[in-house]
Amino acid sequence: MNANSLFYELLEEQVKKLDDSIDQSIPFHKFSLSYRLKKRALLKAYLKTLNNSDNFDRSYRKLRFYQRIRIALLAAITALLLTGASIYVTYLIGGMKAKMYSDHSDVFSLDDENAPEFIEDNYRITYNLEGYEHIIVDNDEILYWEMYENETDRISFSFSPKSLYKNARLNTEFSGIEKITINGTEMLYFETENGYQCLVWDHGDYIFEFEFTVPFQMAEKIIESIQKE
Amino acid sequence: MKKISAVLAAILIYSSAFAIDTAAYTTEENINGVIVVDDINSASKISRLSISGKKATCKSTYSDRNSNISYVKIEQTLEKSTFGLFFGVSGTNWSKTVYSDYAVYTNSKANLECGTYRLKTVFTVKTKDGKTETITVYSDEKTVK
């Protein structure tokens, strides 16, 4: 055996010893979802363009379904932010729907298809309000509005056809919206920061509004006194 | 995909920053020395549009109990829908200023063309301590047949 052959024999022996010392089992590795999805897309594109390798790049880079969903969600959120969309809570009170935002509410009457377009009945407060100045603010075919005032208090009563009570902007920022029942009728109640209390309710063909600074118990009695003439 | 996400995320962040800047600008804006703020506690503002035949009756109401109110200005515009967008009808810009904390303003327009209409009401309220509130309220849409 010449020197070269002996060298290679010894080298081979050392390599074999080294090889034997290495653990031959493949360690467990969990590939990420992203990696697995990319690998799947790669294989799919490869198989699809096996006979037309020029289209491989375009096939592989096409947006997958989950990517389109992600883009659509991002675009929708961006659009909402850009258009200033706001979050609101919906209340259904009597025959009305109220969308309560952080600083106000928009109120709509519902089910007004069969309600009159114009005022056909006269409703008036019959409670004795002697000592209050009586003011007729408006009285025509689409709104009746009267007020009773003295030095300290105001009572305001108005009604209009249901079809005209849409998108009424009410200041519910201070108290939010409460649903209360007076005389068996569900009413929307709110109060402004300076203590002006307001009630709105569906009275069949009309939407009634009642605003007051008098004590609530007195307001209830006044409301109960509202009669059709 | 990453580029698209990055662009949209950039728009998202930019629009958020822009919204904050807009709010700051609004509260500090001065118009003729009057500070512009949002809703000043007025109880209710309603814009009503009634159609009878070819005549529209436009009624706007403002109601509050606030001795600090200097005046309420009500500006009405009757708008007609054209291809889904609303434009003011000629001769239907009305304005009234009331020195009280409640107001009602009624106007009408006859001989309307067929179409869909709505009433735009701009309520401008000024308080005695110099604050101004401007809120726009739209009525329901009504159709002239």
Side-chain angles (χ1 to χ4, degrees), chain A:
Chain A
M1 187 185 292
N2 61 23
N4 281 344
S5 301
L6 183 60
F7 175 75
Y8 283 118
E9 268 187 31
L10 288 171
L11 190 62
E12 192 179 345
E13 201 178 306
Q14 289 301 317
V15 168
K16 192 172 178 300
K17 280 183 188 173
L18 196 65
D19 198 39
D20 287 341
S21 70
I22 298 170
D23 185 359
Q24 295 297 326
S25 64
I26 299 172
F28 173 75
H29 176 76
K30 186 175 178 185
F31 292 94
S32 67
L33 176 63
S34 172
Y35 175 87
R36 283 182 276 142
L37 288 172
K38 277 184 190 169
K39 190 178 82 171
R40 189 191 302 172
L42 197 66
L43 287 171
K44 192 175 172 183
Y46 167 73
L47 290 170
K48 198 174 171 183
T49 58
L50 207 55
N51 296 322
N52 188 4
S53 58
D54 288 342
N55 289 334
F56 171 79
D57 197 51
R58 192 170 60 188
S59 177
Y60 173 61
R61 296 198 184 283
K62 190 175 70 176
L63 290 175
R64 266 80 75 187
F65 177 71
Y66 74 90
Q67 290 174 322
R68 294 180 196 180
I69 297 292
R70 197 191 296 174
I71 291 170
L73 274 174
L74 274 175
I77 292 170
T78 306
L80 282 175
L81 274 178
L82 287 174
T83 57
S86 302
I87 297 173
Y88 60 83
V89 176
T90 299
Y91 289 81
L92 292 174
I93 299 175
M96 300 179 298
K97 178 174 80 172
K99 294 181 182 177
M100 190 177 79
Y101 297 86
S102 60
D103 63 346
H104 76 281
S105 293
D106 294 328
V107 183
F108 306 78
S109 66
L110 302 171
D111 303 324
D112 57 77
E113 293 83 19
N114 298 321
E117 281 285 316
F118 306 100
I119 291 177
E120 296 173 351
D121 306 298
N122 292 322
Y123 289 89
R124 300 289 185 268
I125 291 172
T126 59
Y127 188 87
N128 185 359
L129 288 168
E130 196 177 330
Y132 287 82
E133 181 191 358
H134 185 213
I135 305 163
I136 304 287
V137 181
D138 202 25
N139 185 9
D140 63 18
E141 56 185 5
I142 63 176
L143 177 70
Y144 177 79
W145 187 1
E146 65 178 353
M147 276 191 188
Y148 291 85
E149 277 194 316
N150 62 16
E151 282 178 6
T152 54
D153 289 312
R154 173 184 291 174
I155 297 152
S156 168
F157 167 62
S158 65
F159 67 94
S160 64
K162 280 175 78 164
S163 62
L164 300 184
Y165 198 86
K166 305 286 185 185
N167 205 29
R169 185 180 172 112
L170 307 181
N171 181 21
T172 55
E173 181 176 16
F174 178 68
S175 71
I177 286 177
E178 280 182 53
K179 180 163 66 176
I180 67 169
T181 302
I182 294 177
N183 236 8
T185 302
E186 274 188 357
M187 301 185 183
L188 183 157
Y189 170 85
F190 68 98
E191 182 178 346
T192 66
E193 197 172 4
N194 53 7
Y196 202 33
Q197 299 180 76
C198 308
L199 285 160
V200 185
W201 69 98
D202 180 355
H203 196 79
D205 293 333
Y206 308 100
I207 296 294
F208 281 20
E209 298 171 83
F210 191 83
E211 299 163 0
F212 56 98
T213 57
V214 296
F216 194 86
Q217 281 179 335
M218 180 178 171
E220 277 186 292
K221 289 179 183 163
I222 297 171
I223 288 169
E224 286 166 6
S225 81
I226 295 172
Q227 303 278 349
K228 185 157 93 173
E229 285 182 343

Side-chain angles (χ1 to χ4, degrees), chain B residues 11-12 20 23-24 41 66-67 72 83 93-94 98-99 101 110 116 121 131 133 143:
Chain B
I11 294 173
L12 208 71
I20 293 170
N41 251 350
N66 190 345
S67 57
V72 176
F83 299 116
N93 293 300
W94 304 291
V98 173
Y99 297 87
D101 59 1
T116 301
T121 307
K131 293 180 185 173
E133 157 199 83
T143 304

